[in-house]
């Protein structure tokens, strides 16, 4: 390895900020997630019980069996027997960082960058001083109106840029900085008309922007007059600063998170929101710099913690920003790394909510955060009405296209399963509501037509009359006769409360056993000929049910639905309400409800079997 001339100030801190310890250490030690830490067997001793811990937030490891500990550089030195410089160079290459080599040009570039950082630091001190002077009155009034006192100004190093074209330039020149250096920092701009350079920030409340080491590298400025254009102004890209790779308050937020504030940063939309959150006790808040979240910023966020919370205003613009962040994050989710979302109520931003309702209200919102999968489902579900087969197919296509963006195979498969399950349950609920509405509104002589679209959804939770429970399940077998091949015996064992529903079931099974074709017309005629007029009327008036695919989930769910009637009324067993085999006898209105009831029945049967077995053993003894 070639030897670098020296390690620049802050290089090591930036290197450790770019590398997740568990990624490097996990290549040598099999790690398992345990709370906020990773745990594994020590690579330094021959232990059988894991006592080796890695904490990504604090960027350290600790081996309790050997007493060894430190940062990721120490780990590489210990396990690969490298010197400090060799370990730094190895990790720097992995992180895509280049150490300056032993050349006069490298030394010159390093010293030049150091001068630019010093100029930014001097400007931050100047702006802080101006805030407390007589010319900072308007800025102080604005901050006090936002609930920030002088102690908060100091904590966040807030300042004021004089409303003058050359005051800042003159002050920094007096500090020993040249116009060339100040232009390169973005603090002043050269005139297009050939005049003297002028201050870039004028008459603005100033927010210093730092790098991962905490060094000031740029500024944001907020206008204080109604006609200020733009309202917020950021430094342009410079040698020190690229806004797409930096987050406001990142260093302070990462330190707060490392002190135990949680499993991920809170990402909000602006400077004042991040400050308001920090002052309310959420010190791990950051903000992008006036643009949509970038891939580089997202990777920086994940380096701080695996499950950040994206907090957006509760208006249309905030929802759009949340959707853009979702699309940005989706390809990169993997086990142990995702994104959560908070959409604030009533069009508020975090600062509004905290001032109006207090920090507790903000904490409640964060605790109710939405997983990425939930926000994705809601976005696609609500994109258009689902009142036609084409639109329903469109929903499924959008969901599967979103899953296709996920690069991790296991997570992609899990998303597909989850979203398909949500889709089935939602479509079933809509169909069930439509059938229920049709049954009530489409009776002969009522002058009403079957419910469609929103009216059906409005009646989603309503069901058929109690005495006709089981009718819909039987009619499904009439409209999809192949179901009898898988469930005829279960259907025959069902105990049905209404005698005409029972006659309808028995007649259906009679036709099936006789090998006759089954459809509504044949079964209605059979019931009429045998004198069961009401049973024939029930079948005739019941809305046509959707066709069920032979290999689809609806067929299995139909069979599960039958089980509740078998369990609820099997003769010679517990009386109604005994709680043993009773599945309430209520037809579920969703597949998830049927599955829960099916599980309950199975558990009760297993309990009865164990009780009977125990009773038999007692009698034998």
């Amino acid at each position: 390895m070639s030897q670098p001339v020296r390690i620049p100030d802050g290089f090591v801190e930036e290197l450790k900020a770019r590398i997740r310890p568990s990624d490097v250490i996990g290549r040598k030690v099999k790690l398992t997630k345990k709370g906020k830490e990773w745990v594994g067997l020590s690579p330094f001793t021959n232990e059988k019980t894991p006592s080796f811990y890695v904490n990504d937030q604090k960027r350290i490891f600790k081996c309790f069996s050997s007493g060894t500990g430190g940062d990721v550089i120490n780990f590489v030195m210990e396990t690969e027997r490298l010197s400090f410089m060799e370990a730094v160079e190895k990790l720097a290459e992995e992180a895509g960082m280049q150490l300056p080599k032993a050349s006069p040009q490298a030394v010159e570039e390093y010293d030049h960058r150091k001068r630019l950082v010093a100029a930014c630091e001097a400007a931050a001190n100047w702006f802080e001083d101006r805030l407390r002077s007589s010319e900072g009155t308007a800025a102080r009034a604005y901050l006090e109106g936002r609930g920030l006192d002088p102690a908060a100004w100091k904590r966040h190093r807030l300042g004021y840029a004089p409303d003058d074209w050359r005051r800042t330039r003159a002050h920094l020149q007096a500090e020993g900085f040249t116009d060339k250096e100040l232009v390169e920092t973005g603090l002043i701009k050269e005139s297009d008309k050939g005049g003297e350079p002028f201050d870039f920030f004028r008459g603005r409340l100033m927010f210093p922007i730092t790098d991962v080491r905490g060094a000031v590298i740029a500024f944001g400025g907020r206008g204080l007059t109604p006609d200020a254009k733009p309202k917020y102004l950021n430094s342009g890209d410079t040698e020190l600063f690229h806004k797409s790779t930096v987050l406001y308050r990142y260093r302070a937020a990462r330190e707060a998170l490392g002190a135990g504030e949680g499993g991920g940063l809170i990402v909000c939309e602006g400077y004042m929101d991040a400050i308001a959150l920090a002052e309310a006790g959420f010190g791990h808040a950051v903000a992008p710099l006036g643009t949509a979240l970038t891939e580089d910023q997202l990777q920086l966020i994940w380096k701080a913690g695996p499950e950040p919370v994206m907090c957006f205003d509760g208006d249309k613009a905030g929802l759009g920003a949340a959707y853009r962040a979702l699309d940005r994050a989706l390809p990169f989710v993997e086990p142990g790394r995702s994104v959560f979302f908070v959409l604030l109520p009533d069009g508020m931003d975090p600062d509004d909510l905290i001032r109006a309702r207090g920090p507790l209200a903000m904490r409640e919102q964060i605790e109710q955060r939405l997983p990425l999968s939930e926000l994705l489902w809601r976005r696609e579900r609500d994109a258009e009405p689902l009142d036609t087969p084409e639109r329903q197919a469109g929903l499924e296509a959008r969901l599967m296209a979103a899953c296709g963006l996920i690069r991790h195979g296991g997570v992609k498969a899990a998303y597909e399963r989850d979203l398909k399950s949500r889709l089935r349950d939602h479509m079933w609920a809509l169909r069930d509501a439509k059938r229920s509405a049709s049954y009530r509104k489409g009776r002969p002589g009522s002058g009403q037509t079957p419910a469609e679209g929103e009216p059906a959804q409005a009646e989603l939770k309503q069901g058929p009359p109690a005495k006709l429970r089981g009718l819909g399940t039987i009619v499904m077998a009439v409209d999809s006769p192949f179901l009898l091949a898988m469930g005829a015996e279960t259907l025959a064992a069902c105990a049905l409360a209404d005698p005409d529903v029972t006659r309808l079931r028995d007649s259906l099974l009679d036709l099936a056993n006789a090998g006759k074709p089954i459809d509504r017309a044949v079964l209605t005629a059979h019931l009429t000929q045998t004198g069961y007029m009401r049973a024939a009327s029930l079948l005739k008036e019941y809305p046509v049910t959707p066709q069920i695919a032979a290999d689809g989930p609806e067929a299995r769910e139909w069979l599960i639905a039958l089980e509740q009637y078998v369990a609820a009324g099997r003769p010679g067993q517990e009386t109604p309400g005994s709680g043993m085999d009773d599945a309430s006898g209520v037809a579920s209105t969703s597949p998830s409800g049927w599955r829960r009831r099916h599980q309950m029945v199975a558990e009760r049967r297993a309990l009865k079997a164990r009780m009977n077995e125990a009773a038999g053993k007692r009698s034998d003894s």
Side-chain angles (χ1 to χ4, degrees), residues 1-2 4 11 15 19 24 27-28 72-73 75-77 79-97 99 101:
M1 295 184 186
S2 59
F11 185 90
L15 173 62
I19 291 180
V24 174
R27 291 196 288 267
K28 294 183 179 295
V72 68
I73 298 174
F75 181 84
V76 173
M77 291 171 63
T79 57
E80 300 187 24
R81 296 293 184 263
L82 300 179
S83 68
F84 177 78
M85 290 298 299
E86 289 171 334
V88 169
E89 189 167 8
K90 174 183 174 67
L91 292 172
E93 182 178 355
E94 180 177 326
M97 298 174 64
L99 278 166
K101 303 300 179 181

Side-chain angles (χ1 to χ4, degrees), residues 290-583:
T291 60
L293 200 66
T294 67
E295 181 179 333
D296 288 333
Q297 289 171 329
L298 188 59
Q299 297 299 334
L300 200 60
I301 290 165
W302 272 324
K303 283 185 173 71
E307 294 185 341
V309 176
M310 305 289 175
C311 184
F312 294 98
D313 300 356
D315 55 16
K316 184 176 180 181
L319 187 61
Y323 288 160
R324 288 190 294 274
L326 182 157
D327 290 331
R328 181 69 68 187
L330 192 60
F332 306 104
V333 294
E334 60 184 41
R337 187 172 76 175
S338 189
V339 173
F340 289 80
F341 293 87
V342 170
L343 302 174
L344 297 179
D346 304 325
M348 291 183 169
D349 59 29
D351 187 31
D352 294 331
L353 182 66
I354 290 167
R355 284 191 291 140
R357 304 180 188 177
L360 182 59
M362 188 70 233
R363 186 170 299 280
E364 290 174 351
Q365 290 293 321
I366 293 173
E367 290 174 352
Q368 296 169 13
R369 59 190 178 271
L370 301 175
L372 189 153
S373 58
E374 175 66 21
L375 185 63
L376 173 61
W377 161 252
R378 293 186 184 185
R379 180 180 72 174
E380 302 306 339
R381 179 198 64 192
D382 299 338
E384 63 178 355
L386 302 175
D387 51 355
T388 67
E390 293 83 2
R391 288 173 173 175
Q392 293 170 11
L395 170 59
E396 182 172 10
R398 293 193 302 274
L399 292 173
M400 293 304 101
C403 292
L405 299 174
I406 301 173
R407 298 177 182 178
H408 188 281
V411 174
K412 176 182 176 182
Y415 263 70
E416 288 176 344
R417 289 193 300 270
D418 176 70
L419 293 172
K420 285 180 179 178
S421 177
R422 291 172 186 261
L423 181 62
R424 285 196 302 269
D425 288 357
H426 189 67
M427 291 299 102
W428 182 275
L430 291 179
R431 288 195 298 268
D432 188 67
K434 185 175 180 180
R435 287 194 298 269
S436 298
S438 298
Y439 179 78
R440 286 186 294 277
K441 296 183 179 181
R443 289 188 293 270
S446 67
Q448 296 175 309
T449 57
E452 299 284 348
E454 292 183 2
Q457 296 186 45
E459 301 186 23
L460 191 60
K461 296 183 179 180
Q462 300 182 31
K467 64 180 180 179
L468 296 180
R469 287 169 183 158
L471 175 61
T473 308
I474 295 171
V475 174
M476 286 182 191
V478 177
D479 292 339
S480 301
F482 76 89
L483 292 173
L484 294 173
M486 60 187 293
E489 292 182 3
T490 306
L491 182 59
C494 289
L496 304 167
D498 187 274
D500 284 306
V501 174
T502 302
R503 292 184 182 104
L504 175 59
R505 184 270 314 272
D506 293 343
S507 296
L508 171 63
L509 293 174
D510 289 344
L511 291 178
N513 291 334
K516 295 182 178 179
I518 295 174
D519 60 30
R520 286 192 178 224
V522 172
L523 185 54
T524 300
H526 176 76
L527 290 166
T528 302
Q529 291 169 3
T530 52
Y532 298 133
M533 305 305 295
R534 179 170 177 268
S537 179
L538 290 177
L539 175 60
K540 184 177 180 181
E541 294 179 12
Y542 201 95
V544 176
T545 62
Q547 285 295 310
I548 296 177
D551 57 349
E554 292 89 349
R556 294 188 296 274
E557 288 157 356
W558 175 83
L559 188 59
I560 292 170
L562 291 180
E563 290 283 344
Q564 64 181 301
Y565 299 111
V566 175
R570 187 174 289 140
Q573 302 202 3
E574 288 71 25
T575 57
S578 66
M580 291 299 297
D581 262 351
D582 178 26

Side-chain angles (χ1 to χ4, degrees), residues 37-54:
E37 297 181 311
W38 297 87
V39 64
L41 295 173
S42 170
F44 308 114
T45 64
N46 186 22
E47 66 177 5
K48 296 182 179 180
T49 302
S51 68
F52 181 86
Y53 290 82
V54 180

